[in-house]
Every structure is written in structure tokens, then in C-alpha cells.
Amino acid sequence: MEIIILIIIGILFVVPSFMAMRKQRQRQNEMQALQNSLRPGDAIVTAGGVHGVVRSASDKDVDLEIAPGVVVTFDKMAVIRTEQEANDLARPAAGEEKNDAADNLPDEKYPPFDGEEKK
């Protein structure tokens, strides 16, 4: 009976860990394939959030044009996604932000405490 419980507990810890490692390995392989396929003209995003266009790529480095006439060299490992993948990420649009200005007003019944009590 105890062995069955130990096996069930072991499965509860091992299976989710295995699935997480598998997903992480898959993402790592996708990033490696992207880094190896970089060609001049590709629009990419680095791990630091720098957007640029590939001007040249070697085995370890990639030259990115981040502004007209400004070319910087990055390690290939810094490239994490293409510009298209970055644009496809789910982010709220600038006009869709929730406006909670009314929620930030002081409550008349309980005004903010400023260190002194009213008398």
C-alpha cells in the first residue's frame, strides 16, 4: 500500500517536471534554429529588447543596424525572436488601457492619512 502511494507521489512530481523540461528544450531548439538562420535584411529583437535589422552575421556575432547608419555588434545568443514574432505577442494597445483615475480619488468617508489626526 505504501509503495503505491510513493509511486503516485513520484509520478505527480516527475511528469510535470518532464513536461516543463520538454517545452523548454523545444523553445531552446527554436531559438537556436533562428540564430543559425540569420540573414542580412532580417528584422530581429535581442534579449535586451533592441530592435534591429541584420546587416551581417558570422558564426558567433551578428551586426545589427538599430538606426540609419548605426550598426552595433551583438553575440548571436542575444537574438531571441524575429520582429514579426515580437509584434504578434499579446499586448494591450495604447488606447485600450483601463482608466482607473476615478478609483485613485480619496474616499470622503476615509480620507488619506497624512500623519496628523483631524480635531
Side-chain angles (χ1 to χ4, degrees), residues 37-75:
S37 69
L38 291 176
R39 302 285 176 255
D42 291 347
I44 56 98
V45 180
T46 67
V50 177
H51 293 243
V53 177
V54 175
R55 290 299 166 220
S56 68
S58 67
D59 290 341
K60 294 184 179 185
D61 297 330
V62 61
D63 291 334
L64 297 179
E65 184 173 11
I66 58 174
V70 179
V71 178
V72 293
T73 303
F74 281 91
D75 191 62

Side-chain angles (χ1 to χ4, degrees), residues 19 27 45 68-69:
M19 297 302 285
R27 176 68 181 142
V45 180

Side-chain angles (χ1 to χ4, degrees), residues 91-104:
R91 293 188 194 127
E96 295 178 11
E97 291 183 18
K98 186 178 175 184
N99 187 359
D100 290 336
D103 294 339
N104 293 333

